[in-house]
mmCIF file of all heavy atoms in Angstrom:
data_model
loop_
_atom_site.group_PDB
_atom_site.id
_atom_site.type_symbol
_atom_site.label_atom_id
_atom_site.label_comp_id
_atom_site.label_asym_id
_atom_site.label_seq_id
_atom_site.Cartn_x
_atom_site.Cartn_y
_atom_site.Cartn_z
ATOM 1 N N ALA A 78 104.162 111.672 119.446
ATOM 2 C CA ALA A 78 104.020 112.497 118.248
ATOM 3 C C ALA A 78 102.884 112.044 117.333
ATOM 4 O O ALA A 78 102.308 112.858 116.611
ATOM 5 C CB ALA A 78 105.338 112.503 117.474
ATOM 6 N N SER A 79 102.571 110.752 117.351
ATOM 7 C CA SER A 79 101.484 110.291 116.483
ATOM 8 C C SER A 79 100.150 110.592 117.176
ATOM 9 O O SER A 79 100.043 110.461 118.403
ATOM 10 C CB SER A 79 101.657 108.801 116.225
ATOM 11 O OG SER A 79 100.496 108.088 116.531
ATOM 12 N N PRO A 80 99.123 111.015 116.424
ATOM 13 C CA PRO A 80 97.841 111.334 117.083
ATOM 14 C C PRO A 80 97.324 110.211 117.998
ATOM 15 O O PRO A 80 96.961 110.495 119.154
ATOM 16 C CB PRO A 80 96.904 111.657 115.910
ATOM 17 C CG PRO A 80 97.833 112.213 114.859
ATOM 18 C CD PRO A 80 99.102 111.408 114.999
ATOM 19 N N PRO A 81 97.319 108.936 117.578
ATOM 20 C CA PRO A 81 96.857 107.911 118.529
ATOM 21 C C PRO A 81 97.724 107.856 119.792
ATOM 22 O O PRO A 81 97.215 107.597 120.879
ATOM 23 C CB PRO A 81 96.958 106.605 117.731
ATOM 24 C CG PRO A 81 96.884 107.026 116.309
ATOM 25 C CD PRO A 81 97.565 108.364 116.243
ATOM 26 N N TYR A 83 99.385 110.468 121.256
ATOM 27 C CA TYR A 83 99.115 111.551 122.216
ATOM 28 C C TYR A 83 97.690 111.505 122.746
ATOM 29 O O TYR A 83 97.405 112.053 123.804
ATOM 30 C CB TYR A 83 99.572 112.939 121.723
ATOM 31 C CG TYR A 83 99.001 113.535 120.466
ATOM 32 C CD1 TYR A 83 97.694 114.024 120.398
ATOM 33 C CD2 TYR A 83 99.810 113.711 119.353
ATOM 34 C CE1 TYR A 83 97.211 114.619 119.238
ATOM 35 C CE2 TYR A 83 99.331 114.309 118.185
ATOM 36 C CZ TYR A 83 98.030 114.766 118.141
ATOM 37 O OH TYR A 83 97.554 115.366 116.996
ATOM 38 N N SER A 118 104.508 121.580 113.037
ATOM 39 C CA SER A 118 103.536 122.306 112.205
ATOM 40 C C SER A 118 102.178 122.386 112.891
ATOM 41 O O SER A 118 101.339 123.206 112.519
ATOM 42 C CB SER A 118 103.383 121.589 110.870
ATOM 43 O OG SER A 118 103.090 120.218 111.076
ATOM 44 N N GLU A 119 101.958 121.516 113.899
ATOM 45 C CA GLU A 119 100.675 121.552 114.621
ATOM 46 C C GLU A 119 100.466 122.868 115.354
ATOM 47 O O GLU A 119 99.345 123.178 115.741
ATOM 48 C CB GLU A 119 100.604 120.398 115.621
ATOM 49 C CG GLU A 119 100.316 119.061 114.989
ATOM 50 C CD GLU A 119 98.872 118.885 114.539
ATOM 51 O OE1 GLU A 119 97.959 119.430 115.175
ATOM 52 O OE2 GLU A 119 98.675 118.207 113.521
ATOM 53 N N ARG A 143 93.026 117.693 119.612
ATOM 54 C CA ARG A 143 94.469 117.740 119.344
ATOM 55 C C ARG A 143 95.199 118.703 120.266
ATOM 56 O O ARG A 143 96.417 118.883 120.173
ATOM 57 C CB ARG A 143 94.712 118.150 117.882
ATOM 58 C CG ARG A 143 94.132 117.162 116.877
ATOM 59 C CD ARG A 143 94.220 117.685 115.453
ATOM 60 N NE ARG A 143 95.488 117.445 114.820
ATOM 61 C CZ ARG A 143 95.746 116.434 113.980
ATOM 62 N NH1 ARG A 143 94.815 115.567 113.670
ATOM 63 N NH2 ARG A 143 96.930 116.297 113.443
ATOM 64 N N TYR A 146 98.499 118.082 122.377
ATOM 65 C CA TYR A 146 99.774 118.121 121.639
ATOM 66 C C TYR A 146 100.078 119.552 121.182
ATOM 67 O O TYR A 146 101.153 120.085 121.435
ATOM 68 C CB TYR A 146 99.675 117.171 120.449
ATOM 69 C CG TYR A 146 100.940 117.023 119.634
ATOM 70 C CD1 TYR A 146 102.081 116.429 120.175
ATOM 71 C CD2 TYR A 146 100.988 117.443 118.301
ATOM 72 C CE1 TYR A 146 103.231 116.269 119.405
ATOM 73 C CE2 TYR A 146 102.126 117.283 117.530
ATOM 74 C CZ TYR A 146 103.256 116.698 118.082
ATOM 75 O OH TYR A 146 104.402 116.544 117.320
ATOM 76 N N ASN A 175 105.216 116.921 108.743
ATOM 77 C CA ASN A 175 105.110 115.446 108.670
ATOM 78 C C ASN A 175 106.357 114.808 108.049
ATOM 79 O O ASN A 175 106.694 115.083 106.898
ATOM 80 C CB ASN A 175 103.902 115.040 107.827
ATOM 81 C CG ASN A 175 102.601 115.505 108.445
ATOM 82 O OD1 ASN A 175 102.362 116.714 108.531
ATOM 83 N ND2 ASN A 175 101.769 114.588 108.873
ATOM 84 N N MET A 181 109.748 104.071 111.796
ATOM 85 C CA MET A 181 108.379 104.344 112.267
ATOM 86 C C MET A 181 107.836 102.997 112.728
ATOM 87 O O MET A 181 108.128 101.960 112.121
ATOM 88 C CB MET A 181 107.499 104.855 111.126
ATOM 89 C CG MET A 181 107.899 106.202 110.599
ATOM 90 S SD MET A 181 106.736 106.798 109.355
ATOM 91 C CE MET A 181 105.582 107.687 110.392
ATOM 92 N N GLY A 186 100.104 104.464 113.903
ATOM 93 C CA GLY A 186 98.860 105.169 113.583
ATOM 94 C C GLY A 186 99.011 106.322 112.619
ATOM 95 O O GLY A 186 98.017 106.897 112.180
ATOM 96 N N ARG A 187 100.259 106.696 112.278
ATOM 97 C CA ARG A 187 100.416 107.785 111.318
ATOM 98 C C ARG A 187 100.160 107.260 109.907
ATOM 99 O O ARG A 187 100.256 106.069 109.640
ATOM 100 C CB ARG A 187 101.803 108.420 111.450
ATOM 101 C CG ARG A 187 101.863 109.281 112.691
ATOM 102 C CD ARG A 187 103.193 109.963 112.870
ATOM 103 N NE ARG A 187 104.127 109.155 113.638
ATOM 104 C CZ ARG A 187 105.214 109.652 114.232
ATOM 105 N NH1 ARG A 187 105.502 110.922 114.131
ATOM 106 N NH2 ARG A 187 106.022 108.870 114.909
ATOM 107 N N VAL A 188 99.849 108.186 109.015
ATOM 108 C CA VAL A 188 99.301 107.751 107.736
ATOM 109 C C VAL A 188 100.294 106.942 106.905
ATOM 110 O O VAL A 188 99.911 105.938 106.284
ATOM 111 C CB VAL A 188 98.717 108.955 106.952
ATOM 112 C CG1 VAL A 188 99.800 109.936 106.503
ATOM 113 C CG2 VAL A 188 97.895 108.493 105.786
ATOM 114 N N VAL A 189 101.559 107.346 106.879
ATOM 115 C CA VAL A 189 102.509 106.641 106.015
ATOM 116 C C VAL A 189 102.710 105.206 106.508
ATOM 117 O O VAL A 189 102.635 104.244 105.725
ATOM 118 C CB VAL A 189 103.856 107.393 105.935
ATOM 119 C CG1 VAL A 189 104.887 106.558 105.185
ATOM 120 C CG2 VAL A 189 103.678 108.746 105.245
ATOM 121 N N ASN A 191 100.733 103.455 108.496
ATOM 122 C CA ASN A 191 99.477 102.699 108.321
ATOM 123 C C ASN A 191 99.337 102.185 106.896
ATOM 124 O O ASN A 191 99.079 101.006 106.665
ATOM 125 C CB ASN A 191 98.267 103.602 108.613
ATOM 126 C CG ASN A 191 97.916 103.665 110.091
ATOM 127 O OD1 ASN A 191 98.649 103.169 110.924
ATOM 128 N ND2 ASN A 191 96.789 104.285 110.405
ATOM 129 N N PHE A 192 99.503 103.090 105.919
ATOM 130 C CA PHE A 192 99.268 102.709 104.517
ATOM 131 C C PHE A 192 100.244 101.622 104.070
ATOM 132 O O PHE A 192 99.850 100.662 103.400
ATOM 133 C CB PHE A 192 99.385 103.935 103.594
ATOM 134 C CG PHE A 192 98.173 104.835 103.586
ATOM 135 C CD1 PHE A 192 97.071 104.580 104.394
ATOM 136 C CD2 PHE A 192 98.126 105.960 102.750
ATOM 137 C CE1 PHE A 192 95.951 105.419 104.390
ATOM 138 C CE2 PHE A 192 97.014 106.795 102.725
ATOM 139 C CZ PHE A 192 95.930 106.529 103.548
ATOM 140 N N GLN A 195 99.366 98.334 105.788
ATOM 141 C CA GLN A 195 98.124 97.790 105.232
ATOM 142 C C GLN A 195 98.372 97.227 103.828
ATOM 143 O O GLN A 195 97.892 96.131 103.493
ATOM 144 C CB GLN A 195 97.051 98.895 105.201
ATOM 145 C CG GLN A 195 96.554 99.245 106.601
ATOM 146 C CD GLN A 195 95.867 100.605 106.691
ATOM 147 O OE1 GLN A 195 96.016 101.474 105.823
ATOM 148 N NE2 GLN A 195 95.116 100.815 107.772
ATOM 149 N N LEU A 202 93.577 100.159 102.499
ATOM 150 C CA LEU A 202 94.188 101.358 103.076
ATOM 151 C C LEU A 202 93.078 102.228 103.664
ATOM 152 O O LEU A 202 92.093 102.537 102.977
ATOM 153 C CB LEU A 202 94.970 102.140 102.009
ATOM 154 C CG LEU A 202 96.415 101.687 101.756
ATOM 155 C CD1 LEU A 202 96.509 100.211 101.414
ATOM 156 C CD2 LEU A 202 97.067 102.522 100.674
ATOM 157 N N THR A 203 93.243 102.621 104.933
ATOM 158 C CA THR A 203 92.187 103.353 105.641
ATOM 159 C C THR A 203 92.328 104.851 105.390
ATOM 160 O O THR A 203 93.179 105.504 105.998
ATOM 161 C CB THR A 203 92.271 103.070 107.149
ATOM 162 O OG1 THR A 203 93.625 103.313 107.580
ATOM 163 C CG2 THR A 203 91.901 101.616 107.466
ATOM 164 N N ILE A 204 91.506 105.365 104.487
ATOM 165 C CA ILE A 204 91.528 106.805 104.214
ATOM 166 C C ILE A 204 90.491 107.476 105.112
ATOM 167 O O ILE A 204 89.320 107.098 105.103
ATOM 168 C CB ILE A 204 91.214 107.083 102.731
ATOM 169 C CG1 ILE A 204 92.361 106.561 101.856
ATOM 170 C CG2 ILE A 204 90.976 108.574 102.498
ATOM 171 C CD1 ILE A 204 92.186 106.830 100.371
ATOM 172 N N TYR A 205 90.933 108.453 105.898
ATOM 173 C CA TYR A 205 90.011 109.178 106.771
ATOM 174 C C TYR A 205 89.424 110.356 105.978
ATOM 175 O O TYR A 205 90.149 111.116 105.337
ATOM 176 C CB TYR A 205 90.718 109.696 108.022
ATOM 177 C CG TYR A 205 91.414 108.621 108.844
ATOM 178 C CD1 TYR A 205 92.371 108.968 109.794
ATOM 179 C CD2 TYR A 205 91.115 107.258 108.686
ATOM 180 C CE1 TYR A 205 93.013 107.988 110.564
ATOM 181 C CE2 TYR A 205 91.752 106.289 109.447
ATOM 182 C CZ TYR A 205 92.706 106.663 110.373
ATOM 183 O OH TYR A 205 93.348 105.705 111.129
ATOM 184 N N GLY A 206 88.096 110.492 106.043
ATOM 185 C CA GLY A 206 87.435 111.498 105.214
ATOM 186 C C GLY A 206 87.468 111.048 103.763
ATOM 187 O O GLY A 206 87.550 109.843 103.474
ATOM 188 N N GLY A 208 89.896 111.900 101.727
ATOM 189 C CA GLY A 208 91.291 111.863 101.283
ATOM 190 C C GLY A 208 91.738 113.128 100.582
ATOM 191 O O GLY A 208 92.842 113.193 100.055
ATOM 192 N N GLN A 210 92.231 115.979 102.095
ATOM 193 C CA GLN A 210 93.102 116.787 102.971
ATOM 194 C C GLN A 210 94.551 116.573 102.548
ATOM 195 O O GLN A 210 94.898 115.504 102.047
ATOM 196 C CB GLN A 210 92.877 116.429 104.450
ATOM 197 C CG GLN A 210 93.396 115.086 104.921
ATOM 198 C CD GLN A 210 92.400 113.947 104.739
ATOM 199 O OE1 GLN A 210 91.615 113.938 103.806
ATOM 200 N NE2 GLN A 210 92.435 112.960 105.625
ATOM 201 N N THR A 211 95.378 117.603 102.751
ATOM 202 C CA THR A 211 96.770 117.502 102.288
ATOM 203 C C THR A 211 97.755 117.497 103.454
ATOM 204 O O THR A 211 97.475 118.017 104.529
ATOM 205 C CB THR A 211 97.156 118.677 101.357
ATOM 206 O OG1 THR A 211 97.219 119.884 102.129
ATOM 207 C CG2 THR A 211 96.180 118.829 100.208
ATOM 208 N N ARG A 212 98.897 116.885 103.176
ATOM 209 C CA ARG A 212 100.070 116.985 104.040
ATOM 210 C C ARG A 212 101.273 117.092 103.102
ATOM 211 O O ARG A 212 101.183 116.784 101.913
ATOM 212 C CB ARG A 212 100.221 115.734 104.928
ATOM 213 C CG ARG A 212 99.121 115.529 105.970
ATOM 214 C CD ARG A 212 99.118 116.591 107.042
ATOM 215 N NE ARG A 212 98.159 116.315 108.106
ATOM 216 C CZ ARG A 212 96.878 116.679 108.088
ATOM 217 N NH1 ARG A 212 96.366 117.327 107.053
ATOM 218 N NH2 ARG A 212 96.093 116.395 109.118
ATOM 219 N N PHE A 214 105.067 115.626 102.937
ATOM 220 C CA PHE A 214 105.805 114.557 103.609
ATOM 221 C C PHE A 214 107.303 114.670 103.334
ATOM 222 O O PHE A 214 107.732 114.670 102.179
ATOM 223 C CB PHE A 214 105.295 113.198 103.128
ATOM 224 C CG PHE A 214 103.848 112.966 103.466
ATOM 225 C CD1 PHE A 214 102.856 113.173 102.510
ATOM 226 C CD2 PHE A 214 103.469 112.570 104.747
ATOM 227 C CE1 PHE A 214 101.517 112.972 102.813
ATOM 228 C CE2 PHE A 214 102.126 112.369 105.059
ATOM 229 C CZ PHE A 214 101.145 112.574 104.093
ATOM 230 N N VAL A 246 95.938 113.029 100.823
ATOM 231 C CA VAL A 246 96.045 111.701 101.425
ATOM 232 C C VAL A 246 95.660 110.640 100.386
ATOM 233 O O VAL A 246 96.237 109.552 100.335
ATOM 234 C CB VAL A 246 95.163 111.643 102.698
ATOM 235 C CG1 VAL A 246 94.926 110.219 103.157
ATOM 236 C CG2 VAL A 246 95.813 112.466 103.802
ATOM 237 N N LEU A 249 98.627 110.025 98.261
ATOM 238 C CA LEU A 249 99.596 109.208 98.998
ATOM 239 C C LEU A 249 99.211 107.730 98.928
ATOM 240 O O LEU A 249 100.073 106.865 98.718
ATOM 241 C CB LEU A 249 99.653 109.665 100.464
ATOM 242 C CG LEU A 249 100.564 108.814 101.348
ATOM 243 C CD1 LEU A 249 102.040 109.057 101.021
ATOM 244 C CD2 LEU A 249 100.307 109.092 102.831
ATOM 245 N N LEU A 268 86.378 111.253 109.065
ATOM 246 C CA LEU A 268 87.523 112.121 109.321
ATOM 247 C C LEU A 268 87.600 112.394 110.825
ATOM 248 O O LEU A 268 86.582 112.706 111.445
ATOM 249 C CB LEU A 268 87.321 113.430 108.555
ATOM 250 C CG LEU A 268 88.520 114.360 108.413
ATOM 251 C CD1 LEU A 268 89.633 113.698 107.622
ATOM 252 C CD2 LEU A 268 88.084 115.653 107.751
ATOM 253 N N PRO A 269 88.787 112.282 111.421
ATOM 254 C CA PRO A 269 88.896 112.664 112.835
ATOM 255 C C PRO A 269 88.485 114.129 113.026
ATOM 256 O O PRO A 269 88.680 114.961 112.121
ATOM 257 C CB PRO A 269 90.382 112.488 113.138
ATOM 258 C CG PRO A 269 90.902 111.585 112.073
ATOM 259 C CD PRO A 269 90.064 111.831 110.859
ATOM 260 N N ASP A 272 90.658 117.545 112.090
ATOM 261 C CA ASP A 272 91.836 117.128 111.318
ATOM 262 C C ASP A 272 92.189 118.288 110.368
ATOM 263 O O ASP A 272 91.340 118.711 109.580
ATOM 264 C CB ASP A 272 91.440 115.882 110.513
ATOM 265 C CG ASP A 272 92.620 115.126 109.959
ATOM 266 O OD1 ASP A 272 93.098 115.508 108.877
ATOM 267 O OD2 ASP A 272 93.040 114.160 110.587
ATOM 268 N N PRO A 273 93.408 118.823 110.424
ATOM 269 C CA PRO A 273 93.730 119.957 109.551
ATOM 270 C C PRO A 273 93.500 119.631 108.066
ATOM 271 O O PRO A 273 93.832 118.547 107.599
ATOM 272 C CB PRO A 273 95.210 120.218 109.836
ATOM 273 C CG PRO A 273 95.411 119.699 111.223
ATOM 274 C CD PRO A 273 94.516 118.506 111.339
ATOM 275 N N ARG A 276 98.093 121.339 104.763
ATOM 276 C CA ARG A 276 99.324 121.663 105.486
ATOM 277 C C ARG A 276 100.502 121.605 104.531
ATOM 278 O O ARG A 276 100.728 120.590 103.879
ATOM 279 C CB ARG A 276 99.525 120.694 106.632
ATOM 280 C CG ARG A 276 100.638 121.140 107.519
ATOM 281 C CD ARG A 276 100.854 120.256 108.676
ATOM 282 N NE ARG A 276 99.826 120.346 109.667
ATOM 283 C CZ ARG A 276 99.528 119.328 110.465
ATOM 284 N NH1 ARG A 276 100.126 118.180 110.316
ATOM 285 N NH2 ARG A 276 98.626 119.462 111.385
ATOM 286 N N ILE A 320 96.565 98.381 114.422
ATOM 287 C CA ILE A 320 96.726 99.738 113.901
ATOM 288 C C ILE A 320 95.572 100.585 114.426
ATOM 289 O O ILE A 320 94.406 100.230 114.297
ATOM 290 C CB ILE A 320 96.751 99.744 112.355
ATOM 291 C CG1 ILE A 320 98.085 99.165 111.863
ATOM 292 C CG2 ILE A 320 96.550 101.147 111.808
ATOM 293 C CD1 ILE A 320 98.226 99.058 110.369
ATOM 294 N N ALA A 321 95.949 101.694 115.040
ATOM 295 C CA ALA A 321 94.924 102.549 115.652
ATOM 296 C C ALA A 321 94.052 103.170 114.568
ATOM 297 O O ALA A 321 94.552 103.621 113.547
ATOM 298 C CB ALA A 321 95.602 103.637 116.463
HETATM 299 N N1 LIG B 30 95.086 109.498 107.872
HETATM 300 C C1 LIG B 30 94.383 108.630 107.039
HETATM 301 N N2 LIG B 30 94.473 107.291 107.282
HETATM 302 C C2 LIG B 30 95.228 106.777 108.277
HETATM 303 C C3 LIG B 30 95.944 107.661 109.125
HETATM 304 C C4 LIG B 30 95.845 109.019 108.892
HETATM 305 O O1 LIG B 30 93.698 109.048 106.110
HETATM 306 O O2 LIG B 30 95.265 105.541 108.409
HETATM 307 C C5 LIG B 30 95.024 110.944 107.590
HETATM 308 C C6 LIG B 30 94.745 111.817 108.792
HETATM 309 O O3 LIG B 30 93.348 111.969 108.991
HETATM 310 C C7 LIG B 30 95.419 113.108 108.381
HETATM 311 C C8 LIG B 30 96.612 112.658 107.532
HETATM 312 O O4 LIG B 30 96.300 111.329 107.123
HETATM 313 O O5 LIG B 30 94.584 113.883 107.567
HETATM 314 C C9 LIG B 30 97.925 112.662 108.282
HETATM 315 O O6 LIG B 30 97.745 111.948 109.487
HETATM 316 P P1 LIG B 30 98.937 111.640 110.497
HETATM 317 O O7 LIG B 30 98.313 111.006 111.707
HETATM 318 O O8 LIG B 30 100.008 110.892 109.816
HETATM 319 O O9 LIG B 30 99.541 113.062 110.844
HETATM 320 P P2 LIG B 30 98.891 114.467 111.300
HETATM 321 O O10 LIG B 30 97.414 114.396 111.242
HETATM 322 O O11 LIG B 30 99.386 114.678 112.677
HETATM 323 O O12 LIG B 30 99.432 115.427 110.312
#
Side-chain angles (χ1 to χ4, degrees):
S79 127
Y83 60 72
S118 53
E119 283 286 327
R143 298 172 84 98
Y146 184 66
N175 297 66
M181 293 185 90
R187 285 181 270 198
V188 67
V189 173
N191 275 8
F192 281 2
Q195 289 161 342
L202 275 55
T203 52
I204 292 182
Y205 303 163
Q210 72 272 33
T211 69
R212 294 293 186 273
F214 297 99
V246 165
L249 176 72
L268 194 63
D272 195 276
R276 190 178 288 152
I320 287 178

